[in-house]
Amino acid sequence: MSRTARHRTRRRAVLTGTALLTAAVLLPVPAHAESVADYTIAVGTGARGPAIDDTMYGVFFEDINRAADGGLYAELVQNRSFEYSTADNGSYTPLTSWSVSGTAGVVNDSGRLNERNRTYLSLAAGSSVTNSGYNTGVRVEQGERYDFSVWARAEAGAAVTVTLKDAGGTLADSRKVAVRGGWTRYKATFTASRTSNHGRLTVATAADAALDMVSLFPRETYKNQPNGLRKDLAEKIAALKPGFLRFPGGCLVNTGSMEDYSEASGWQRKRAYQWKDTVGPVEERATNANFWGYNQSYGLGYYEYFRFAEDVGAMPLPVVPALVTGCGQNRATDDEALLKRHIQDTLDLIEFANGPRTSTWGGLRAEMGHTRPFGLTHIAVGNEENLPREFFARFQRFRAAVEAEHPDITVISNSGPDDAGTVFDTAWQLNREGGVDMVDEHYYNSPQWFLRNNDRYDSYDRQGPKVFLGEYASQGNAWKNGLAEAAYMTGLERNADVVKLASYAPLLANEDDVQWSPDMIWFNNHASWGSTNYEVQKLFMTNVGDRVVPSEASTTPDASGPVTGGVGLSTWATSAAYDDVRVTAADGTTLLSDDFSGDASQWTRNGGGNWGVQDGQYVQTDEAAENTLVTAGDPAWHDYDLQVKATKKSGKEGFLIAFGVQDTGTYYWWNLGGWNNTQSAVEQAVDGGKSTLISKPGSVETGRAYDIGIKVRGRQVTLYLDGQEWGRFTDDKPAEPFRQVVTEDARTGDLIVKVVNAQPSEARTAIDLGGARVSSRARVTTLAADADAVNTETDAPVTAVTSTFRGVDSAFTYTFPAHSVTFLRIKQRWSRPAGEAAG
């Protein structure tokens, strides 16, 4: 369906807030005596809205930003198996994170620990190696115990001494183990004598020895599980009370080779994440090049994911490769034998999760320590594939195989990487026609987009596939981003009959190794903290309710005018030339004309790159530079036509023509040949966050001159390529800052009035509960801060504040703070059977 058809204007309420508030100010503002209010909320307590599943909100874990090794996985030694390689990162060697004193070398020969652990360390007599851990070093806390282990081999026998120190001296008494004979695992325990973030683990030998899998784990992990998880990170995730855990990706499952890790495949390191690589004894698990530019050890594997989901009470939701790559790679594998193998691997995964201990894979699960089935009910095939027809053909094969043997398993499809566009529309058409049960949508957009699109799911087909919103976030970790997401979540809940699952992404980020931002939880080697977005997710996830209570609210008057702003030229990882730029007002008046026969004095440099006038063209020559924006004109311009000639000279992408330019963070641009020269789109940037308004597949030819025209009239924009209309859009959806939803908790009978006020002023609101008999008191939870506030390791301006409001009645007035999210829990005065709504 078209972008316009997916939206329907309805009167809704969302409450927001503004200035930075102290904890004292966050207490509810007393109701005003006047009868006039700025907003109204009418709650239909006698009506029944859609039921909300217990699994509505969950978390998505992907090993990005070093979320696993050095993050949730509690191992303190980096590169413990000497497997780092240039295949993982161009700067890596097998001794990355290790320093050598004496003679040591990494060996890949038949004397290895096992076939899948390909390399090991040969350490000469009188030599030592020291590991630097993650971030600033190995983190230890005074009085805590740490379990060391190593696989070692010494034909003549050797005494191996293990020490834990930092620049200030000893952190624990040294340990000595006697090594003799073939490969054997040796263990020792340290008790830290003081706290340090800069520890170094050293292993020294008095005689020649071979070492592998050098490991140091805190004794205290989450739930004290073996091969366990870092406690503070796991506890922050558990505190969300997630309904599901999606894993392991993300781009990890649909990039790279689909081959296995074996001699037959040449021990391929850049592989899609395949579950069988990640189970069994950790020393026998394969290693892999992580898509995000580092090594992943698979110490945190499928068994640990299932166990973690169980520990936090979440439904496990694994994602398996569909044999169509995405994330910029966009290839379909046409190998029938390989496809059949992956389909069988998926069936084997279900047996691993649910099969009896007498089965092959259920037996492995039991051998690993979990005799009971994990209770898998959902499985997703693929992730953000940009080739929808190729993907869906393979998806149908997976689904048919799973349904034939496990008809109770829900098999989830997806709709590509964007919220709209040709790929999205084609994928949804195929999913609807194919009778798919659930479709995974992903999108990352500006706060403005989330404020504008609260009604996205209002017009979705109630009889069609359900929606799994597997990845979403506004582009930032400031409070304005959290507010926009909170406003959007009210729409997700209101449409709980369509949106069955939703998870913010990404979940974790090591502050010293970031490939993607924003993220929900940040950490280093000694601390972790929740972002403003985390606080929003936690508030919603721990106060979901069981059923929506229909409600309506007044809206904020729309004060938007025409699209206004100057014009601009840019490139992205590309060299391009521009010529004959002309801007003409609607009445024919020339606003700007530049044929670059002289200088480029009319243009202001805002980004990087190497711009200069060459042979009567304005040329950007740096192929590596991203967003090289130059601008011209007046921010007050409106109703104009922009003409420009553009030629790609070299590089990965095409060119970008900007219009409606207010400043370097607020503009529109037509991105021709973007996304590795695979598609073109119009993107809108607001305060630096971008959203896609219209997109189509397409590429740009090198050396060809393109005539580009953009016509701006009011809020309608028409785009022309070589004299032919390419597309048009009308940017007229208001960014509603006041949103609300009401749910009911079946267990307590509470009405939960959830209000987002994303504006810099209080929202005085008349709330009508439809004659319901309620307690005069409400338990209030409020998040409020300055719009630009950011939570950090040392400061958390966005923190939930709880209080009591003593002015509740069937109709009452409440003033919601500026830039705020407020939940009012109001107890109804009669009881009913759990699960039965009022009325």
Side-chain angles (χ1 to χ4, degrees):
M1 70 182 71
S2 69
R3 187 177 184 84
T4 303
R6 284 197 308 276
H7 302 290
R8 183 175 62 202
T9 303
R10 297 174 68 176
R11 296 175 68 235
R12 299 292 177 198
V14 181
L15 306 167
T16 57
T18 52
L20 179 64
L21 305 174
T22 65
V25 180
L26 287 176
L27 295 176
V29 182
H32 290 260
E34 302 94 331
S35 60
V36 178
D38 303 306
Y39 291 93
T40 61
I41 298 176
V43 183
T45 51
R48 291 171 64 89
I52 306 174
D53 294 348
D54 292 339
T55 53
M56 174 74 182
Y57 295 122
V59 292
F60 165 45
F61 181 92
E62 177 176 6
D63 188 358
I64 184 174
N65 309 312
R66 282 207 181 272
D69 296 331
L72 184 61
Y73 187 49
E75 174 66 76
L76 297 173
V77 175
Q78 184 173 178
N79 190 17
R80 66 183 178 186
S81 194
F82 309 101
E83 293 281 349
Y84 276 29
S85 164
T86 53
D88 310 325
N89 186 294
S91 67
Y92 281 2
T93 75
L95 283 171
T96 293
S97 298
W98 293 94
S99 58
V100 177
S101 176
T103 303
V106 175
V107 182
N108 182 348
D109 65 14
S110 60
R112 63 179 64 88
L113 179 60
N114 58 65
E115 281 297 291
R116 294 167 73 77
N117 193 328
R118 304 293 295 166
T119 59
Y120 63 95
L121 182 74
S122 176
L123 190 62
S127 302
S128 66
V129 287
T130 299
N131 191 267
S132 58
Y134 294 94
N135 297 90
T136 58
V138 176
R139 159 73 176 187
V140 295
E141 294 187 38
Q142 183 176 356
E144 295 297 319
R145 290 186 293 175
Y146 296 85
D147 292 325
F148 168 83
S149 66
V150 62
W151 283 83
R153 187 189 70 203
E155 301 305 330
V160 174
T161 302
V162 189
T163 57
L164 195 55
K165 298 180 179 180
D166 65 6
T170 300
L171 293 172
D173 293 339
S174 62
R175 293 289 181 263
K176 184 176 289 188
V177 295
V179 176
R180 181 176 297 277
W183 287 109
T184 304
R185 188 181 186 215
Y186 299 90
K187 301 178 182 180
T189 299
F190 292 101
T191 300
S193 57
R194 57 188 176 85
T195 295
S196 176
N197 302 329
H198 304 275
R200 299 290 186 269
L201 180 76
T202 298
V203 181
T205 182
D208 293 352
L211 306 178
D212 208 342
M213 295 296 291
V214 181
S215 174
L216 187 69
F217 262 85
R219 174 69 59 83
E220 188 176 6
T221 59
Y222 182 66
K223 303 274 187 187
N224 293 320
Q225 295 276 19
N227 195 46
L229 307 181
R230 179 170 149 175
K231 188 177 180 182
D232 64 322
L233 290 177
E235 286 178 342
K236 280 186 170 57
I237 298 169
L240 296 168
K241 300 188 182 301
F244 65 87
L245 170 64
R246 175 179 179 241
F247 60 90
C251 289
L252 301 189
V253 301
N254 70 335
T255 54
S257 168
M258 299 294 165
E259 299 286 349
D260 62 0
Y261 191 57
S262 67
E263 184 177 7
S265 66
W267 305 108
Q268 293 192 30
R269 287 292 290 269
K270 294 187 175 181
R271 310 182 311 283
Y273 196 112
Q274 299 171 54
W275 79 269
K276 288 180 180 178
D277 286 342
T278 76
V279 294
V282 291
E283 68 274 8
E284 296 178 8
R285 299 183 189 180
T287 192
N288 202 7
N290 184 292
F291 173 80
W292 299 107
Y294 52 88
N295 176 272
Q296 53 190 139
S297 72
Y298 288 145
L300 175 56
Y302 257 70
Y303 177 77
E304 289 75 25
Y305 286 128
F306 276 120
R307 193 180 63 193
F308 183 47
E310 183 178 72
D311 285 343
V312 299
M315 175 184 78
L317 204 167
V319 185
V320 299
L323 274 72
V324 178
T325 58
C327 302
Q329 297 183 357
N330 303 336
R331 298 187 306 272
T333 300
D334 292 317
D335 183 326
E336 180 64 17
L338 191 59
L339 176 61
K340 287 181 177 178
R341 194 266 288 174
H342 276 267
I343 291 172
Q344 185 59 51
D345 282 354
T346 302
L347 297 174
D348 292 344
L349 171 60
I350 297 170
E351 182 178 290
F352 177 78
N354 293 352
R357 59 189 305 175
T358 54
S359 64
T360 299
W361 295 104
L364 176 60
R365 182 198 68 239
E367 184 180 319
M368 294 182 71
H370 201 282
T371 57
R372 291 175 291 102
F374 282 115
L376 178 66
T377 59
H378 292 64
I379 193 165
V381 177
N383 170 76
E384 295 188 7
E385 283 73 28
N386 261 312
L387 304 173
R389 297 191 184 279
E390 292 85 343
F391 161 75
F392 196 72
R394 289 156 181 78
F395 169 82
Q396 287 180 303
R397 297 276 300 275
F398 279 85
R399 180 176 62 163
V402 171
E403 290 181 346
E405 293 194 20
H406 306 281
D408 54 333
I409 297 288
T410 298
V411 185
I412 302 172
S413 181
N414 74 77
S415 60
D418 299 306
D419 64 277
T422 302
V423 170
F424 178 90
D425 291 339
T426 301
W428 258 105
Q429 178 184 355
L430 293 168
N431 286 314
R432 283 194 299 269
E433 292 174 350
V436 169
D437 291 324
M438 186 174 288
V439 177
D440 186 5
E441 293 190 353
H442 296 177
Y443 39 83
Y444 298 89
N445 288 320
S446 68
Q448 195 86 345
W449 185 93
F450 284 97
L451 291 175
R452 286 178 171 178
N453 287 281
N454 180 274
D455 62 350
R456 175 181 176 87
Y457 297 107
D458 288 5
S459 58
Y460 270 47
D461 181 2
R462 268 45 203 170
Q463 306 306 314
K466 303 306 180 184
V467 173
F468 170 23
L469 181 50
E471 298 183 32
Y472 74 99
S474 74
Q475 296 155 339
N477 276 144
W479 181 225
K480 61 188 175 186
N481 302 98
L483 283 168
E485 290 155 5
Y488 193 71
M489 292 170 80
T490 66
L492 299 183
E493 291 192 6
R494 189 178 66 250
N495 288 284
D497 55 331
V498 169
V499 183
K500 308 306 287 185
L501 308 168
S503 51
Y504 178 100
L507 178 62
L508 295 174
N510 185 321
E511 66 172 350
D512 293 335
D513 202 339
V514 180
Q515 295 86 46
W516 186 283
S517 185
D519 303 285
M520 194 195 297
I521 300 170
W522 292 79
F523 66 91
N524 50 39
N525 66 347
H526 62 275
S528 59
W529 56 99
S531 64
T532 66
N533 320 70
Y534 172 86
E535 294 298 333
V536 166
Q537 294 293 323
K538 184 178 179 181
L539 184 57
F540 274 83
M541 291 169 76
T542 56
N543 293 276
V544 181
D546 301 283
R547 185 174 292 278
V548 175
V549 179
S551 59
E552 289 191 353
S554 56
T555 59
T556 304
D558 181 16
S560 62
V563 171
T564 60
V567 297
L569 311 170
S570 188
T571 61
W572 198 289
T574 301
S575 172
Y578 298 94
D579 200 2
D580 297 333
V581 180
R582 184 176 179 84
V583 182
T584 308
D587 63 2
T589 304
T590 298
L591 302 176
L592 172 71
S593 180
D594 201 336
D595 63 3
F596 303 105
S597 57
D599 57 25
S601 58
Q602 297 186 81
W603 299 85
T604 300
R605 298 270 301 271
N606 299 287
N610 296 319
W611 286 93
V613 175
Q614 299 178 10
D615 301 323
Q617 295 180 311
Y618 199 21
V619 183
Q620 197 292 114
T621 59
D622 186 349
E623 286 186 30
E626 297 180 346
N627 192 5
T628 62
L629 184 66
V630 295
T631 58
D634 190 333
W637 282 354
H638 62 89
D639 297 298
Y640 58 77
D641 296 285
L642 166 63
Q643 300 289 329
V644 60
K645 283 185 170 61
T647 305
K648 174 182 176 178
K649 298 176 71 67
S650 61
K652 296 179 179 178
E653 303 207 348
F655 26 79
L656 302 115
I657 312 300
F659 57 98
V661 178
Q662 291 295 316
D663 53 48
T664 56
T666 302
Y667 54 85
Y668 302 81
W669 68 18
W670 188 3
N671 184 350
L672 291 116
W675 296 271
N676 288 322
N677 205 17
T678 61
Q679 62 178 307
S680 299
V682 176
E683 297 177 281
Q684 180 185 26
V686 178
D687 294 332
K690 289 201 293 290
S691 303
T692 300
L693 301 182
I694 182 175
S695 68
K696 296 180 180 181
S699 60
V700 167
E701 298 176 25
T702 301
R704 175 186 166 188
Y706 290 84
D707 287 317
I708 296 168
I710 300 174
K711 180 179 181 179
V712 180
R713 293 293 185 273
R715 301 204 66 80
Q716 184 177 82
V717 178
T718 309
L719 305 113
Y720 300 89
L721 188 61
D722 290 333
Q724 301 296 313
E725 183 175 320
W726 178 88
R728 65 173 63 200
F729 67 92
T730 302
D731 182 24
D732 60 356
K733 287 184 67 65
E736 174 58 65
F738 182 84
R739 295 289 185 186
Q740 60 83 36
V741 70
V742 180
T743 65
E744 184 181 41
D745 186 324
R747 183 180 63 84
T748 64
D750 290 353
L751 291 175
I752 313 173
V753 180
K754 310 173 186 183
V755 180
V756 183
N757 179 26
Q759 57 197 340
S761 57
E762 295 177 340
R764 188 170 44 135
T765 306
I767 301 174
D768 185 345
L769 298 180
R773 297 181 64 247
V774 294
S775 168
S776 62
R777 295 183 298 176
R779 180 158 59 89
V780 183
T781 306
T782 307
L783 298 169
D786 181 82
D788 294 318
V790 176
N791 286 358
T792 67
E793 178 183 351
T794 57
D795 185 28
V798 179
T799 303
V801 175
T802 59
S803 58
T804 301
F805 174 64
R806 294 176 173 81
V808 179
D809 204 339
S810 60
F812 65 101
T813 300
Y814 190 94
T815 300
F816 296 94
H819 293 147
S820 68
V821 181
T822 306
F823 281 26
L824 301 170
R825 269 190 170 267
I826 303 170
K827 193 165 293 294
Q828 298 183 86
R829 283 187 172 172
W830 62 84
S831 61
R832 64 182 65 86
E836 181 181 324

